[in-house]
Amino acid sequence: MESLVIRGGQPLRGDVRIGGAKNAALPVLISALLTDQDLLVANVPHLRDITTALELLGRLGARIEVDEKSVIRVNAGKLISRRAPYELVKTMRASILVLGPLLARFGQAEVSLPGGCAIGSRPVDLHIRALEQMGATITVEEGYIKASTSRHRLQGAKIVFDTVTVTGTENLMMAATLAEGATVLENAAREPEVVDLANCLAAMGARIEGAGTDVIEIEGVANLTGAAHRVIPDRIEAGTFMVAAAVTQGEMRLHDVNPGHLDAVIVRLRDAGAQISVSQSELSLKMPERPDAVSISTAPYPGFPTDMQAQFMLLNCVSEGTASITEHIFENRFMHVHELQRMGADITLHGNTALVRGVDQLGGAQVMATDLRASACLVLAGLVAREQTVIGRIYHIDRGYDCIEEKLLQCGADIRRVSDSRSPRVHAVQ
Ligand code: EPZ
C-alpha cells in the first residue's frame, strides 16, 4: 500500500486544472447499457472508481476503447452477462447504477448488494421499491438483488422518493427512458451530476423534462441511440482545492470549473474571509489572513454538499473562532474527526453535530484515510500542520482525486507519495 508524506506550512499559490466529475462520469458511462450503439464520453477523470466502472461494463460484455484524446467509447451491443459481481460492487457502490439500465433494456439483472461503507449503511431500498413500482419483480437472495420484468418492458409510474437520493434518481431516470409510457420522479435529486446524465440521455434520444428540479418527467421511447457527451467539471474536486488555498492562506486559480455548481461553497468561503472572483470557467480564491470559522449544515443540492463537509471541518479546525458542522445526509460521516483530534484539533461531537474551536496550529501525525472525502480532509490538514504528516491507505483518495499530489506540488506543497515499506515514522509532537 502507499502513503502520502506531507510537510505543512507553505501557503499554496498557483493554477490547477479541475478534472471531469467522478459522480457524473459514472452514471454517464453506465448509461451506455441502454443502447446498442457507441457512446463517446469525454473529460472522464482518471480515477480508480472509473476504472472499476469500466471493468464492470467489460465484465457484462461491453466493448471499451480509449482514444488518444482519452475519449472513452463504450458499446453495449453484445452483452454476455446481466450480473454485476460482488467483487466489483463491493469496491464501488455506484455499481448499483447498472440495475436500472439492464432491467430497462433486457428485462433482467442481478446486482450484488453494495453493502455499507465507512460513512453509513447506504441502503438501496429506494432504488428497489421504485423499480418494483415500474413492474419489476425483485428478490434479494444470497446478497444479490435479482430483478426481472415479466412483460417485455418496464411500465411508467409515478414515483415519490422518501429521501432525496442521487443515484436512486439516476437509476430510475435511466430505467424510465425505455419504459412503456410516462414516469414521474418526485422529490428527485437536483445535483448537477443528475442534470449532466439527463443531458447525455437526451442526446441519446431520451425524452426528459425537469432535470435539476425535484420533479423529473420521462416519456419512455422504444430505444436509444449512441451519442457523444462531455462530462461536467468536478465541483467537489474544485471545492477541495479552494479549501486547500483557504487554509494555507494562499492564492489559487482553478481552470475548467463551473462556478455555478459551487454557490453554497463560495458563499461560505466568502463568509470565512476568502476573496473569490469567478468567470465562465475559472475561479480565483485568495485568503489574505487566517480564516474566520463558519458553521455549515449539509443538505441535498443546492444546499451545502455533504462531500465538502470534511474539508470545512478542517477549515474550522484552523480558523479564528468556534463553529458547528451538522451532517444531515449520512449517519456516520465524522470518521475524520478522530484523526483530526490526533493532530491537535479541538472538536466535540454531539450526535450529528460537531463543535469545532479553531486552534493556532495542528501537529503532524501518522493518520489513516477511511473514506474518500475524509482522506482529502487529512491531506489538507497535512498542508497546514507543523512538521510532517503521513497518511496511510491513500487508495481511498485515488478513488476520487486524479493526481492530487501533482496538482498540490504545482502550487508549492511539500508532498510526496511513498510505498508503505518506505514511509517515514512520524514522531508525535504535542
Ligand atoms: C451520491 O451517493 C454520491 N455518489 C455521494 O458521493 C454523495 O455523498 C451522495 O450522493 C450525497 O450527495 C455518487 O454519486 C456515485 P444518496 P448516493 O442515495 O447516491 C439514503 C463521494 O464522495 N438512501 O443520495 O449513494 C442514504 O443512506 C460520494 O463522491 C436510502 O436510505 O447517496 C443517505 O443517507 C460519497 N435508501 C441518503 O439517502 C436508498 O435507497 C442520501 O444518499 C438510497 C439512499
Side-chain angles (χ1 to χ4, degrees):
M1 289 209 271
E2 295 179 311
S3 296
L4 284 176
V5 179
I6 306 170
R7 186 173 291 280
Q10 300 83 342
L12 293 188
R13 291 198 175 83
D15 294 74
V16 172
R17 181 195 173 279
I18 298 301
K22 166 178 83 81
N23 291 348
L26 290 170
V28 163
L29 288 166
I30 290 170
S31 73
L33 294 173
L34 291 162
T35 176
D36 59 5
Q37 297 178 20
D38 287 355
L39 180 63
L40 299 175
V41 189
N43 200 33
V44 177
H46 180 66
L47 299 171
R48 183 188 290 263
D49 271 7
I50 298 295
T51 307
T52 305
L54 294 175
E55 193 179 334
L56 173 57
L57 289 168
R59 192 77 69 88
L60 297 172
R63 201 178 65 247
I64 316 268
E65 291 164 16
V66 185
D67 75 10
E68 68 289 349
K69 295 196 185 72
S70 302
V71 172
I72 297 179
R73 177 192 301 266
V74 186
N75 182 293
K78 293 187 175 49
L79 292 194
I80 56 171
S81 165
R82 316 273 190 267
R83 180 180 169 92
Y86 174 68
E87 69 268 17
L88 283 177
V89 176
K90 74 176 179 192
T91 62
M92 190 191 66
R93 311 180 30 74
S95 308
I96 190 68
L97 286 168
V98 306
L99 181 61
L102 286 174
L103 256 183
R105 179 141 170 254
F106 303 106
Q108 197 255 331
E110 269 192 36
V111 179
S112 167
L113 273 173
C117 72
I119 62 180
S121 60
R122 309 287 297 275
V124 289
D125 56 312
L126 300 179
H127 299 236
I128 290 171
R129 204 181 311 154
L131 288 167
E132 287 175 331
Q133 280 186 255
M134 296 185 73
T137 302
I138 299 181
T139 58
V140 177
E141 297 164 32
E142 297 139 11
Y144 276 79
I145 300 165
K146 299 188 176 180
S148 60
T149 50
S150 51
R151 302 171 60 159
H152 172 59
R153 292 168 71 187
L154 289 170
Q155 303 302 306
K158 177 173 180 179
I159 292 158
V160 183
F161 287 111
D162 294 350
T163 310
V164 175
T165 163
V166 174
T167 50
T169 300
E170 293 166 345
N171 225 340
L172 270 293
M173 192 161 67
M174 289 191 280
T177 58
L178 295 178
E180 202 160 301
T183 297
V184 179
L185 304 180
E186 293 203 10
N187 200 23
R190 300 166 55 187
E191 271 68 4
E193 294 76 25
V194 172
V195 177
D196 201 36
L197 173 62
N199 291 337
C200 177
L201 292 168
M204 296 163 72
R207 293 167 59 187
I208 301 175
E209 296 292 331
T213 75
D214 61 353
V215 179
I216 302 177
E217 298 184 38
I218 306 105
E219 184 65 41
V221 295
N223 52 54
L224 295 183
T225 64
H229 182 77
R230 180 178 177 79
V231 168
I232 56 172
D234 194 317
R235 62 192 168 99
I236 305 302
E237 184 191 18
T240 303
F241 280 102
M242 290 164 73
V243 174
V247 295
T248 59
Q249 298 179 39
E251 187 168 354
M252 206 180 270
R253 195 174 18 259
L254 305 185
H255 303 272
D256 296 346
V257 298
N258 183 332
H261 293 161
L262 282 155
D263 288 348
V265 172
I266 290 171
V267 165
R268 303 311 278 131
L269 281 171
R270 280 181 173 147
D271 292 343
Q275 296 163 5
I276 298 174
S277 58
V278 301
S279 68
Q280 178 83 21
S281 63
E282 293 197 346
L283 181 150
S284 296
L285 182 145
K286 181 176 182 179
M287 182 62 86
E289 53 199 30
R290 185 179 179 187
D292 294 325
V294 287
S295 291
I296 59 142
S297 190
T298 66
Y301 192 89
F304 190 90
T306 176
D307 292 348
M308 284 298 302
Q309 179 256 103
Q311 298 90 318
F312 266 68
M313 176 90 69
L314 182 271
L315 175 73
N316 283 327
C317 286
V318 295
S319 292
E320 187 72 46
T322 299
S324 64
I325 302 258
T326 304
E327 174 58 61
H328 287 297
I329 306 296
F330 292 111
E331 69 266 27
N332 186 33
R333 204 169 197 176
F334 282 155
M335 302 286 279
H336 41 286
V337 169
H338 314 298
E339 298 302 290
L340 290 171
Q341 287 168 331
R342 292 181 57 243
M343 297 176 75
D346 182 346
I347 305 170
T348 317
L349 291 180
H350 306 276
N352 68 338
T353 294
L355 196 62
V356 187
R357 287 180 186 79
V359 296
D360 293 343
Q361 264 265 316
L362 294 178
Q366 192 109 8
V367 292
M368 189 176 69
T370 51
D371 70 86
L372 169 53
R373 306 306 172 182
S375 319
C377 151
L378 294 176
V379 171
L380 302 187
L383 294 171
V384 293
R386 208 176 40 240
E387 294 85 39
Q388 187 171 272
T389 298
V390 179
I391 304 171
R393 298 191 180 180
I394 56 169
Y395 56 85
H396 288 292
I397 295 178
D398 294 335
R399 290 189 49 203
Y401 290 91
D402 189 0
C403 305
I404 193 165
E405 69 266 30
E406 277 84 346
K407 293 184 177 179
L408 289 171
L409 276 167
Q410 281 168 11
C411 296
D414 179 346
I415 181 171
R416 58 197 165 88
R417 179 183 291 249
V418 297
S419 65
D420 278 358
S421 54
R422 293 179 47 232
S423 65
R425 307 302 299 169
V426 172
H427 304 295
V429 178
Q430 293 308 337

